[in-house]
């Protein structure tokens, strides 16, 4: 194990790069499978991998019962509105990321670009923020596993399920980027099939084809379309942010993409629409299936959680419906945990490479696996064992609060970084025509991202002030803001960093023009895709 050499070839049989490319890439190597190793990481991800990794990482098992939490927080219409607003927010976040990451497909993505165009101290604070965002997601995923398995048996304690699955994921996460990409692709395809099946089941139950009872919009009228007022909206906004969080991981995969300038814009467009349609669809149908005050939905006191689909199927007379939904959820969780480990470890690698975390986390194997970072991140995921002292439902709510606030902070500074990049681009005499991808509705979309997410990060803990002050809930709701502020000003004071001038910002390093290979372009022009293949690619990448 070690940091790959600055130059040279690892396998003499690997496909050689063209002479004109080699001339400008003296700091890269080639893995045994022919993929480029760039800054220690292997560029082995194809377009279909990029799309389905983000999809698989975002649509996890918890969405199947988390939709029940959203409905119980704010009612069926309230939950739908919250997920729609956060969906619009994510759309503009992805537009900003698309422009930045296709221009600079580098390790750390928006984290490193924040240091380049805003302030190096911001890169440190944002990097740590994003890293612990995904570390808490890993812990939350393990906690979700204990919730799911608890529906089948209570003979095995929650911590035992966590340890069993933790050991399995520790092995799969070390198998390399190509294996990871293929595994995520097929697992994400299975998730997509399950979601479509979930839509169909919801329609059949709601119309009475299953169970014999027509439901329609009965639960929108009684107990009501909106529940718990602004308190409920605040909690659902945070929950929606946690579920949408991960869409931006596409920017991080640019550092391990074979051709980011070609594949990243495609992945951003298709992945976003898949995720929005799926989330809005799941929330909508969940609101048709169950009452918002159903006690079987996930709450802080839950030892286990039932999905709205499981509740509806059991009520319709099929006692085995809960087990079927459980199978769907546990298989969905397989790719969700892997994606969380992937993003957390790559964020940590980017920090280490740039001297903002211990250097040992930058070490990779000969084929580009950051083994130290992967092991460390998975170990931190054992925070899920907190459910020994508290209920899994309570741990779920705490981790959601931390992840939600960290997500809002990350998205807000993605918008700020985009605004600063464009400012530097213009100040140094460049035209927007030179950009490989231009953000839609710039600068309005970027400003929308900044203002909305700064607002949401402060309103997200509103419920702690309602009905008496809750000190523990207050800490979990707002501790992320305090930590981020301390990290930023602490690094700024220690390192003496300054705001980067637009005229002095680096617009050259990391452009990676050599990754647009001649053979990729030629093959694209040569082959005309049949219509049925286009349909398949639209659905499954």
């Amino acid at each position: 194990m070690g940091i790959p050499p600055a130059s040279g070839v690892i396998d003499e049989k690997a496909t050689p790069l063209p002479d004109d490319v080699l001339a400008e890439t003296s700091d890269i190597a080639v893995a045994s499978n022919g993929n480029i190793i760039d800054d220690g990481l292997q560029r082995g991800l194809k377009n279909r991998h990029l799309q389905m990794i983000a999809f698989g990482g975002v649509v996890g098992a918890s969405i199947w019962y988390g939709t029940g939490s959203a409905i119980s927080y704010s009612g069926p219409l309230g939950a739908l509105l919250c997920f729609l607003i956060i969906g619009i927010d994510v759309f503009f976040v992805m537009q900003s990321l698309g422009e930045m990451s296709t221009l600079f497909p580098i390790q750390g993505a928006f984290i490193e670009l924040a240091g380049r165009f805003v302030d190096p101290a911001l890169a440190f604070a944002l990097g740590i923020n994003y890293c612990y965002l995904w570390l808490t997601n890993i812990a939350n995923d393990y906690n979700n596993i204990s919730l799911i398995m608890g529906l089948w048996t209570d003979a095995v304690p929650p911590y035992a399920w966590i340890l069993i699955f933790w050991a399995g994921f520790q092995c799969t996460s070390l198998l390399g980027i190509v294996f990871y990409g293929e595994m995520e692709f097929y697992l994400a395809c299975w998730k997509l099939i399950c979601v479509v099946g979930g839509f169909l089941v919801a329609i059949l139950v709601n119309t009475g084809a299953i169970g014999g009872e027509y439901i329609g919009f009965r639960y929108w009228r009684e107990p009501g379309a909106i529940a718990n007022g602004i308190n409920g909206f605040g909690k659902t906004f945070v929950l929606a942010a946690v579920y949408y969080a991960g869409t931006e991981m596409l920017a991080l995969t640019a550092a391990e993409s074979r051709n980011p300038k070609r594949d990243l814009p495609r992945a951003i467009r298709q992945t976003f629409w898949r995720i929005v349609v799926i989330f809005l669809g799941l929330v909508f149908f969940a609101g048709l299936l169950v009452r918002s005050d159903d006690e079987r939905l996930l709450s802080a006191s839950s030892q286990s959680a039932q999905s709205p689909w499981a509740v509806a199927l059991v009520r319709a007379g099929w006692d085995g419906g809960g087990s079927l939904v459980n199978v769907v959820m546990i298989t969905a969780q397989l790719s969700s945990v892997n994606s969380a480990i992937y993003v957390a470890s790559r964020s940590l690698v980017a920090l280490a490479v740039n001297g903002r975390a211990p250097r040992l986390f930058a070490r990779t194997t000969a084929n580009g696996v950051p083994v130290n970072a992967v092991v460390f991140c998975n170990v931190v995921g054992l925070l899920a064992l907190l459910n020994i002292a508290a209920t899994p439902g309570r741990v779920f709510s705490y981790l959601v609060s931390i992840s939600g606030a960290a997500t809002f902070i990350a998205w807000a500074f993605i918008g700020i970084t985009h605004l600063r990049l464009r400012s530097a681009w213009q100040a140094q005499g460049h035209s927007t025509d030179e950009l490989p991808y231009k953000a839609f509705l710039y600068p309005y979309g970027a400003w929308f991202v900044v203002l909305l997410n700064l607002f949401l990060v402060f309103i997200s803990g509103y419920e702690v002030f309602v009905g008496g002050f809750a000190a523990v809930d207050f800490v979990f709701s707002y501790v992320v803001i305090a930590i981020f502020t301390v990290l930023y000003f602490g690094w700024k004071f220690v390192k003496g960093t300054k705001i980067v001038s637009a005229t002095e910002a680096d617009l050259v390093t990391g452009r990676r023009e050599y990754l647009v290979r001649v053979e990729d372009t030629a093959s694209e022009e040569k082959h005309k895709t049949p219509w049925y293949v286009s349909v398949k690619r639209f659905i499954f990448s």
Side-chain angles (χ1 to χ4, degrees), residues 246-397:
T247 316
E248 76 287 336
M249 80 167 67
L250 275 170
L252 293 174
T253 63
E256 293 176 87
S257 168
R258 289 183 176 182
N259 193 339
K261 293 185 186 298
R262 181 196 66 186
D263 294 340
L264 201 59
R266 292 178 182 176
I268 285 173
R269 286 191 295 267
Q270 295 187 24
T271 302
F272 170 78
W273 290 113
R274 280 196 197 94
I275 289 170
V276 167
V277 169
I278 285 169
F279 277 174
L280 293 181
L282 287 172
V283 172
F284 173 73
F285 283 119
L288 296 180
L289 291 175
V290 295
R291 295 170 57 96
S292 62
D293 57 358
D294 194 304
E295 294 181 354
R296 289 167 291 184
L297 300 178
L298 178 65
S299 67
S301 60
S302 300
Q303 287 288 349
S304 61
Q306 290 196 37
S307 160
W309 276 260
V311 172
L313 287 171
V314 171
R315 187 188 60 232
W318 184 18
D319 293 336
S323 292
L324 174 65
V325 176
N326 249 27
V327 170
V328 171
M329 289 195 295
I330 202 65
T331 53
Q333 198 64 49
L334 297 178
S335 68
S336 183
V337 177
N338 265 342
S339 291
I341 295 172
Y342 171 84
V343 179
S345 62
R346 270 48 176 191
S347 301
L348 186 56
V349 169
L351 287 168
V353 165
N354 292 279
R356 301 186 184 106
R359 183 66 180 170
L360 66 93
F361 293 125
R363 293 185 178 277
T364 61
T365 64
N367 279 324
V369 179
V371 61
N372 291 346
V374 167
V375 171
F376 174 79
C377 291
N378 200 29
V379 168
V380 175
L382 290 177
L383 282 172
L385 293 175
L386 285 171
N387 67 18
I388 296 173
T391 64
R394 174 64 65 184
V395 173
F396 175 84
S397 64

Side-chain angles (χ1 to χ4, degrees), residues 117-142:
F117 297 108
V118 185
D119 187 337
L122 179 60
F124 172 72
L126 190 59
I128 298 295
N129 173 83
Y130 198 67
C131 192
Y132 62 63
L133 186 166
W134 282 98
L135 290 174
T136 56
N137 278 346
I138 296 171
N140 204 13
D141 281 336
Y142 285 132

Side-chain angles (χ1 to χ4, degrees), residues 82-225:
C82 288
F83 273 79
L84 177 61
I85 292 170
I86 299 299
I88 296 170
D89 183 15
V90 172
F91 173 78
F92 287 111
V93 169
M94 295 306 293
Q95 289 298 305
S96 292
L97 280 176
E99 183 171 304
M100 293 190 292
S101 295
T102 50
L103 187 61
F104 299 102
I106 59 174
Q107 269 193 49
F110 57 89
I111 296 170
E112 293 310 311
L113 295 179
R116 185 182 299 192
F117 297 108
V118 185
D119 187 337
L122 179 60
F124 172 72
L126 190 59
I128 298 295
N129 173 83
Y130 198 67
C131 192
Y132 62 63
L133 186 166
W134 282 98
L135 290 174
T136 56
N137 278 346
I138 296 171
N140 204 13
D141 281 336
Y142 285 132
N143 184 63
N144 293 338
I145 288 172
S146 70
L147 279 166
I148 297 166
M149 301 305 291
L151 284 173
W152 273 319
T153 177
D154 56 5
V156 179
Y159 71 84
W161 291 121
I162 291 170
L163 292 173
I164 291 169
F165 279 86
W166 178 88
F169 286 119
Q170 186 64 80
C171 296
T172 58
S173 59
L174 294 173
L175 293 176
I177 191 63
V178 175
F179 179 87
Y180 166 78
E182 290 296 331
M183 180 174 64
E184 283 297 293
F185 174 76
Y186 290 108
L187 285 173
C189 288
W190 165 248
K191 281 187 185 181
L192 192 55
I193 293 170
C194 290
V195 168
V196 173
F199 289 173
L200 292 175
V201 168
I203 293 171
L204 293 174
V205 171
N206 184 263
T207 57
I210 296 177
E213 179 185 10
Y214 177 76
I215 299 173
F217 284 85
R218 178 191 308 169
Y219 302 135
W220 287 50
R221 295 186 295 271
E222 178 63 38

Side-chain angles (χ1 to χ4, degrees), residues 426-491:
Q426 184 177 10
Q428 297 184 32
H430 292 280
S431 166
T432 55
D433 294 333
E434 300 174 59
L435 296 171
Y437 182 93
K438 289 187 279 291
F440 179 66
L441 285 184
Y442 180 87
Y444 308 108
W447 277 112
F448 175 79
V449 166
V450 174
L451 298 177
L452 177 63
N453 286 288
L454 289 178
F455 170 73
L456 289 175
V457 77
F458 285 104
I459 199 179
S460 61
Y462 174 84
E463 78 276 2
V464 305
F465 302 106
V466 178
F469 181 73
V472 174
D473 291 341
F474 175 82
V475 170
F476 278 99
S477 295
Y478 291 108
V479 68
V480 173
I481 301 175
I483 292 173
F484 184 86
T485 303
V486 170
L487 289 172
Y488 175 74
F489 286 105
W491 191 266

